[in-house]
Amino acid sequence: RARDGLEGQRSDRMARDIDSAMSRARRLAAEQKSIEERVRSLDKAAADRAEQVQQLMTRKEAEAAARAR
């Protein structure tokens, strides 16, 4: 009976971990899509293009760091 309880707890924990990982993957995918949309909409004639690109690169690096956790 105790063994069944432990197995149930492990199963519940695994389900929560899977749900958490899926939520994180969805958030990362949404962030990636946002970055992609901003890159596509960069005003090529804008004087601040380099700053916009740098901001996007910073976000991309933060995304990569989050993925590595």
Side-chain angles (χ1 to χ4, degrees):
R1 205 168 245 260
R3 192 166 121 189
D4 289 342
L6 288 174
E7 286 179 11
Q9 287 176 353
R10 279 190 209 137
S11 180
D12 291 345
R13 190 175 332 122
M14 187 182 306
R16 284 191 308 271
D17 289 348
I18 289 169
D19 287 342
S20 176
M22 289 175 65
S23 292
R24 191 166 167 229
R26 283 191 292 270
R27 283 192 308 271
L28 289 170
E31 178 69 11
Q32 175 66 32
K33 184 175 181 176
S34 171
I35 291 170
E36 180 183 349
E37 289 170 356
R38 288 196 53 199
V39 168
R40 291 181 189 275
S41 68
L42 283 174
D43 183 3
K44 295 184 185 347
D48 63 346
R49 182 171 185 233
E51 182 180 337
Q52 289 176 343
V53 169
Q54 182 58 46
Q55 289 172 354
L56 290 170
M57 292 304 294
T58 300
R59 282 179 62 192
K60 188 69 173 169
E61 290 168 2
E63 179 188 72
R67 204 177 302 140
R69 286 188 226 155

